[in-house]
C-alpha cells in the first residue's frame, strides 16, 4: 500500500492486476477523504443536544456548527492560490495533524462564540487537506482515470456523512458531548497516519514552473465561462445540502416524528445509497457527459423535496435519500469537471471551486436558518428547491 499513489498514472499490466490496483487505490483515496472531512457534518447529528446545551435557537446553533464552511472557503481559496508552491504530501499531513487540536478543544468550548471560532479553525485545516488532495489527484491521474479518482474521493466524503453522524450520535448519547469530540480528534490523527504511509514513497511531483502567477491563473479560471458555471454549481449544491440536512434534524425530533437521539443517528443510514451511487459518477459523466449527469442528479434531489414535507417518517426518509443521492452525484460530476477543464494550474482551480462550494454552505446556513426560524420548514424546503433550480440553469454553460 505504501506505493499505492505511485501507481496513479496507468501502466501496462495484466488486467486483473490493473483492476486490483485500481480498487485498492480507490479504497485509500476514499478513506483519506473520509478521515479528512468526517468532522464536517458529524456534529449535525447532535444539533438538538448542542442547542439545549448552549441555550440558543436552532438557527444560531446551525450557523455555529456550519461555521466550519467559512474556514473551508477561506482555506480553499488561499491553498489554491499558493498551490504551485505547496508540497502536497507535507501540506496534507500537517493539515490533518493540526485538525485534531481544534476538534479536541470543542469538548471544552465555554460558549457559542468559542465553539464557532473552533469550527472555523477546523474548516481551515480540513479544506487545506481537501484542496491539496484534489489538486494531487488532478495532477497524478490521467484524464481517463480522473473521474473515477474524484468519484472515489467524493464517495469517502459521503461515507463520512453517514458514519460520522452515526458515531457522533452514539457517543454523545452514551458518553456525553466531550467524548464525542475527543473521538473525532483521534480520527483526524488516524488520517494523518494514513497519509504518511500511503504517500511516503511517491516520487516528487514534476515541479514545473507555472507559466504565470497564481493571481493570473485565478483570473484566467474565473474568465472561463465553463469553470465559472461549475463554481456556481458547487455553491448551489452545498447551499441545498446544508439547508436540508441541518434543519431536518429539528423536524425529526419534533412532533409528529419525535425521534430520540439514537434514532436520529440511525436516520442517517439514508446516506448509504449515496455511498454506492457516487462511485458511479465518474463513469456516468464519461459516458453521458457532464451536463446530462448533473441535470439528472439535480432532478433526483428535487423529487425528494416534497417528500420531506410529509408527516410520516418513511416519506421523509425517502426524500432525504433522494436529496443525498442527487447532491453528492452532482458534486462528484462537477468536481471531476473542474479537474479536467483546468488544463493548467489545477490546484488554483480546485481551490476556487472549493471556496465557492463551502461559501454556498455558509450562505445556505444563514439564509435557510432565518427562513426556518421565521417561516418554518416549508419555507426552508422552498429555498433548497430554488438553489437546485439555479444550479440546473448554470449547467447550461458546461458546454464541451
Amino acid at each position: 500500500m505504501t506505493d499505492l499513489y505511485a501507481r496513479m498514472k496507468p501502466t501496462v499490466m495484466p488486467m486483473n492486476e490493473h483492476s486490483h490496483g485500481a480498487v485498492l487505490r480507490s479504497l485509500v483515496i476514499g478513506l483519506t477523504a473520509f478521515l479528512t472531512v468526517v468532522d464536517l457534518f458529524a456534529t449535525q447529528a447532535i444539533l438538538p443536544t448542542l442547542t439545549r446545551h448552549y441555550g440558543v435557537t436552532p438557527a444560531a446553533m446551525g450557523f455555529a456548527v456550519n461555521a466550519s464552511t467559512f474556514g473551508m472557503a477561506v482555506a480553499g481559496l488561499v491553498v489554491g492560490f499558493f498551490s504551485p508552491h505547496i508540497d502536497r504530501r507535507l501540506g496534507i499531513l500537517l493539515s490533518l495533524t493540526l485538525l485534531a487540536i481544534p476538534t479536541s478543544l470543542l469538548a471544552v468550548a465555554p460558549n457559542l462564540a468559542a465553539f464557532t471560532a473552533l469550527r472555523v479553525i477546523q474548516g481551515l485545516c480540513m479544506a487545506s487537506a481537501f484542496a491539496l488532495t484534489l489538486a494531487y489527484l488532478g495532477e497524478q491521474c490521467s484524464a481517463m482515470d480522473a473521474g473515477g479518482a474524484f468519484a472515489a474521493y467524493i464517495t469517502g466524503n459521503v461515507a463520512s456523512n453517514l458514519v460520522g453522524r452515526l458515531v457522533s450520535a452514539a457517543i454523545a448519547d452514551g458518553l456525553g458531548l466531550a467524548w464525542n469530540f475527543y473521538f473525532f480528534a483521534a480520527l483526524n490523527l488516524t488520517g494523518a497516519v494514513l497519509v504518511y504511509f500511503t504517500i511516503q514513497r511517491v516520487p516528487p511531483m514534476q515541479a514545473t514552473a507555472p507559466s504565470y502567477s497564481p493571481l493570473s491563473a485565478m483570473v484566467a479560471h474565473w474568465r472561463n465561462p465553463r469553470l465559472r458555471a461549475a463554481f456556481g454549481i458547487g455553491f448551489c449544491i452545498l447551499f441545498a445540502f446544508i439547508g436540508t440536512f441541518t434543519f431536518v434534524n429539528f423536524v425529526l425530533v419534533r412532533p409528529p416524528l419525535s425521534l430520540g437521539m439514537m434514532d436520529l443517528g440511525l436516520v442517517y443510514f439514508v446516506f448509504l445509497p449515496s455511498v454506492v451511487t457516487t462511485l458511479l459518477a465518474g463513469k456516468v459523466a464519461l459516458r453521458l457527459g457532464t451536463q446530462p449527469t448533473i441535470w439528472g442528479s439535480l432532478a433526483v434531489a428535487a423529487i425528494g423535496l416534497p417528500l420531506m414535507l410529509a408527516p410520516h417518517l418513511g416519506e421523509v426518509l425517502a426524500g432525504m435519500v433522494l436529496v443525498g443521492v442527487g447532491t453528492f452525484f452532482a458534486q462528484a460530476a462537477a468536481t471531476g469537471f473542474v479537474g479536467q477543464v483546468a488544463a493548467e494550474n489545477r490546484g488554483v482551480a480546485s481551490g476556487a471551486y472549493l471556496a465557492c462550494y463551502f461559501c454556498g454552505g455558509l450562505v445556505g446556513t444563514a439564509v435557510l436558518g432565518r427562513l426556518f426560524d421565521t417561516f418554518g420548514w416549508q419555507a426552508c424546503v422552498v429555498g433548497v428547491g430554488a438553489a437546485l433550480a439555479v444550479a440546473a440553469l448554470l449547467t447550461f454553460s458546461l458546454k464541451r
Side-chain angles (χ1 to χ4, degrees), residues 377-400:
W377 176 233
Q378 291 83 357
C380 186
V381 171
V382 171
V384 171
L388 295 177
V390 173
L393 291 175
L394 288 171
T395 306
F396 280 102
S397 298
L398 304 184
K399 301 174 183 178
R400 289 186 178 276

Side-chain angles (χ1 to χ4, degrees), residues 43-367:
T43 313
Q44 288 185 347
I46 55 173
L47 263 174
T49 301
L50 287 169
T51 300
R52 292 191 298 270
H53 179 76
Y54 287 104
V56 295
T57 65
M61 196 69 242
F63 185 84
V65 164
N66 293 313
S68 54
T69 57
F70 173 75
M72 296 189 86
V74 172
L77 198 61
V78 172
V79 171
F81 190 82
F82 293 104
S83 178
H85 308 289
I86 299 176
D87 179 272
R88 306 292 190 247
R89 177 183 181 275
L90 180 61
I92 299 169
L93 191 60
L94 284 177
S95 297
L96 291 176
T97 302
L98 293 175
L99 176 58
I101 297 174
T103 303
S104 58
L105 289 177
L106 282 170
V108 293
N111 51 50
L112 192 64
F115 187 96
T116 304
L118 288 170
R119 286 293 284 175
V120 172
I121 297 171
Q122 272 191 309
L124 290 169
C125 297
M126 281 187 281
S128 298
F130 199 97
L132 288 172
T133 305
L134 287 181
Y136 181 86
L137 294 177
E139 292 159 352
Q140 294 294 328
C141 296
S142 67
M144 187 66 69
D145 290 342
F150 285 122
Y153 196 73
I154 301 304
T155 300
N157 187 348
V158 179
S160 73
N161 275 268
L162 167 60
V163 179
R165 292 171 199 256
L166 287 173
V167 171
S168 183
I171 294 178
D173 188 48
L175 300 176
L177 286 173
W179 279 104
N180 168 74
F181 295 113
Y182 293 141
F183 177 81
F184 283 99
L187 287 184
N188 301 149
L189 294 176
T190 302
V193 171
L194 176 67
V195 169
Y196 179 85
F197 284 107
T198 55
I199 304 184
Q200 183 179 21
R201 295 183 182 177
V202 174
M205 287 189 303
Q206 301 284 332
T208 57
S211 56
Y212 35 81
S213 70
L215 179 59
S216 299
M218 182 71 72
V219 172
H221 288 323
W222 275 101
R223 285 178 175 172
N224 185 327
R226 301 167 72 199
L227 286 176
R228 195 164 58 239
F231 299 159
I233 291 169
F235 180 97
C236 293
I237 288 172
L238 196 59
F239 185 106
F241 181 87
I242 285 283
T244 301
F245 291 100
T246 295
F247 299 106
V248 74
N249 292 284
F250 298 101
V251 175
L252 291 170
V253 299
R254 295 174 180 174
L257 302 178
S258 304
L259 298 184
M261 177 60 68
M262 273 307 302
D263 291 331
L264 185 61
L266 293 174
V267 158
Y268 287 99
F269 273 109
V270 296
F271 287 121
L272 194 56
S274 300
V275 175
V276 178
T277 57
T278 305
L279 273 173
L280 305 174
K283 293 181 179 179
V284 173
L286 190 63
R287 179 181 294 271
L288 300 181
T290 301
Q291 281 183 313
T293 300
I294 294 180
W295 276 325
S297 304
L298 296 174
V300 169
I303 292 171
L305 295 182
L307 294 175
M308 291 192 300
L309 298 175
H312 306 294
L313 181 61
E315 294 176 60
V316 174
L317 294 181
M320 293 171 69
V321 168
L322 292 174
V323 173
V325 168
T327 52
F328 277 118
F329 211 92
Q331 183 200 359
T335 305
F337 178 83
V338 171
Q340 294 169 22
V341 171
E344 294 184 350
N345 295 285
R346 284 174 173 159
V348 177
S350 295
Y353 174 81
L354 289 177
C356 294
Y357 177 74
F358 291 116
C359 275
L362 185 67
V363 174
T365 301
V367 172

